[in-house]
Amino acid sequence: MARKVGILGVGLTKFMRRAKETGKELAFEAAKMALEEAQMDIKEIDCVVISTAPDAFDGVHMKGDWLSDGAGATKKPFMRSFVGGGSGVFSIIHGWYLVSSGIFDKCLIVAEEKMSSCMPHPQGAFNSIYDQFIERPLGVNLLWIFSLEMMRYMKVHKIPIETIALVAVKNKKNGLDHPCSQKGIAGEYTVEDILNSEIIAYPVHRLMVSPVTDGAAAIVIAAEHEVKKRTDKPIWIEGIGFCLDTSYWTNRDLYYPRYVEYAARMAYDMAGIKDPRKEIHVVEPYDPFAYKELHHLEGLLLADKGEAPKLLEKGFWDRDTEYGIPSSPSGGLLGVGNPIAAAGLMRVIEIYLQLKGEAGKRQVKREAKRGLAQAWGDLMQVGTVVILSK
């Protein structure tokens, strides 16, 4: 039988383009903060999970090994998780398995990304994820295929582009209150500001896209007996879910993220959740592009297909809603930044802080006893979900 697992401490670096620090130093900074909150020494940690995206970003082969001493894994069992953009949320799933199974009692999870080192741009590294014979020669990048997906989503549900822009308006405003937000991306924007920004690949505008970012995040998790010994305000990992769909993205109808639904159903079943729209009180969906937040909220079954944009217009997903479900109170990737693996773990950290009532100016108004963090990755086919509760 799986053991109950809780969170003891979290750490998050400032998100920015950091030319001076190495990835190791970013990992060390986040890990140190998480250990300090957990009131633990690295010697007390039994194992380390490291999450980081393509080696090409840092230009370092076997980047997990390279980061291991910075993340505190010297002479400890350590493992690297990597499922593209879904890596950050998957890392806590990985850690949960190691602790809930009884193999280890205490696990340090570190997610790091240093994208600014990748020249001339990380989109060049992303080209390598496509089929080498029929897709790469076209020079495709993520912006191209997400413009196709966004167009399909808008067309099927007849969603005005102005409504998609409202996601960027909401999240960039929320990001103003996040102390780790990348300078220059959060702000008070209007729909007109978003739509007047440069068109990257129609209908995607520059202010609908999360930026290139460096940063690291860390979480300490432990088995129930260790958690109860160290805190009287435990936050538990109640449900986990993941799904890997086919990488042949051209064979799928892109209007709906079924891999997110399958991952969410797995997590809901584990948490005993029958009606997620009533039982999830705050959500951090993955939003590297503005439309993806709405797309993912529907995949998480928190709205019917095509209904998330209508609820957005009514304020249902606002941070200060008293009747809806606050979505991306952190500011998300659009308002805080997107160091890929670290951004996913940042979403889990935000749910942890919201449930503890320690999110400061970002604290949601409605009572939150249970929250969900989600990420997605690779060629639009990986879904990862974690549910936390008091």
Side-chain angles (χ1 to χ4, degrees), residues 41 45 50 112 135 152 173 246 257 292 299 305 307 357 368 371:
D41 187 88
I45 295 294
I50 294 173
E112 179 274 348
E135 293 173 344
R152 178 63 178 159
K173 182 178 179 182
T246 173
K292 288 303 285 187
K305 293 177 181 177
E307 291 297 311

Side-chain angles (χ1 to χ4, degrees), residues 8 46 50 82 87 108 135 167 262 268 276 312:
L8 285 173
D46 300 323
I50 294 173
F82 171 40
S87 298
L108 171 64
E135 293 173 344
V167 175
Y262 297 160
Y268 292 148
L312 174 72

Side-chain angles (χ1 to χ4, degrees), residues 76-88:
K76 294 183 185 294
F78 95 93
M79 288 136 281
R80 176 187 179 185
S81 304
F82 171 40
V83 285
S87 298

Side-chain angles (χ1 to χ4, degrees), residues 9 48 112 119 138 183 192 210 216 244 249 259 332 344 346 363 367 373 382:
V48 176
E112 179 274 348
M119 296 293 171
L138 298 174
K183 186 178 180 182
E192 290 71 27
S210 56
L244 178 63
W249 57 279
Y259 46 91
M346 181 271 284
Q363 189 66 43
E367 184 181 18
V382 174

Side-chain angles (χ1 to χ4, degrees), residues 38-298:
Q39 299 183 41
M40 295 175 70
D41 187 88
I42 189 64
K43 295 177 182 176
E44 298 177 78
I45 295 294
D46 300 323
C47 67
V48 176
V49 168
I50 294 173
S51 180
T52 187
D55 291 3
F57 285 167
D58 286 86
V60 177
H61 183 50
M62 298 183 69
K63 191 165 60 163
D65 291 21
W66 180 69
L67 289 170
S68 61
D69 54 348
T74 303
K75 296 184 179 180
K76 294 183 185 294
F78 95 93
M79 288 136 281
R80 176 187 179 185
S81 304
F82 171 40
V83 285
S87 298
V89 172
F90 191 78
S91 65
I92 193 167
I93 294 173
H94 187 173
W96 177 87
Y97 270 106
L98 294 172
V99 176
S100 69
S101 64
I103 298 174
F104 301 108
D105 285 340
K106 293 153 286 181
C107 176
L108 171 64
I109 300 159
V110 181
E112 179 274 348
E113 213 71 72
K114 191 162 172 29
M115 300 177 68
S116 63
S117 311
C118 189
M119 296 293 171
H121 193 278
Q123 288 296 335
F126 286 132
N127 182 253
S128 64
I129 69 177
Y130 295 93
D131 183 283
Q132 66 267 42
F133 298 113
I134 61 174
E135 293 173 344
R136 283 189 209 173
L138 298 174
V140 288
N141 59 44
L142 293 184
L143 292 161
W144 286 23
I145 62 172
F146 293 126
S147 68
L148 294 175
E149 186 177 69
M150 178 175 166
M151 183 66 85
R152 178 63 178 159
Y153 180 53
M154 291 169 61
K155 183 176 177 60
V156 168
H157 298 306
K158 298 180 172 56
I159 305 167
I161 194 169
E162 290 80 4
T163 301
I164 301 289
L166 281 173
V167 175
V169 171
K170 172 177 73 70
N171 290 2
K172 287 180 176 297
K173 182 178 179 182
N174 287 350
L176 286 170
D177 294 323
H178 201 300
C180 295
S181 177
Q182 184 168 339
K183 186 178 180 182
I185 68 165
E188 296 268 7
Y189 289 92
T190 65
V191 168
E192 290 71 27
D193 293 332
I194 304 299
L195 296 181
N196 285 334
S197 64
E198 178 187 359
I199 295 174
I200 305 297
Y202 190 82
V204 176
H205 291 247
R206 180 171 293 281
L207 290 178
M208 293 178 177
V209 184
S210 56
V212 172
T213 312
D214 304 334
I219 291 180
V220 175
I221 64 172
E224 181 177 12
H225 66 279
E226 289 287 346
V227 173
K228 287 184 173 177
K229 192 166 64 179
R230 296 167 186 270
T231 179
D232 55 2
K233 290 177 65 178
I235 301 297
W236 303 105
I237 300 172
E238 197 176 33
I240 60 160
F242 50 91
C243 175
L244 178 63
D245 206 334
T246 173
S247 62
Y248 287 97
W249 57 279
T250 53
N251 293 354
R252 289 184 272 127
D253 192 329
L254 301 178
Y255 89 98
Y256 184 70
R258 64 187 184 192
Y259 46 91
V260 174
E261 179 186 332
Y262 297 160
R265 287 190 183 280
M266 178 180 171
Y268 292 148
D269 286 347
M270 181 176 163
I273 292 174
K274 304 297 183 187
D275 187 349
R277 298 178 196 185
K278 292 181 179 175
E279 298 176 73
I280 296 296
H281 310 130
V282 56
V283 60
E284 284 279 321
Y286 205 58
D287 64 328
F289 296 81
Y291 78 97
K292 288 303 285 187
E293 174 159 316
L294 304 171
H295 206 229
H296 288 158
L297 288 168
E298 292 172 14

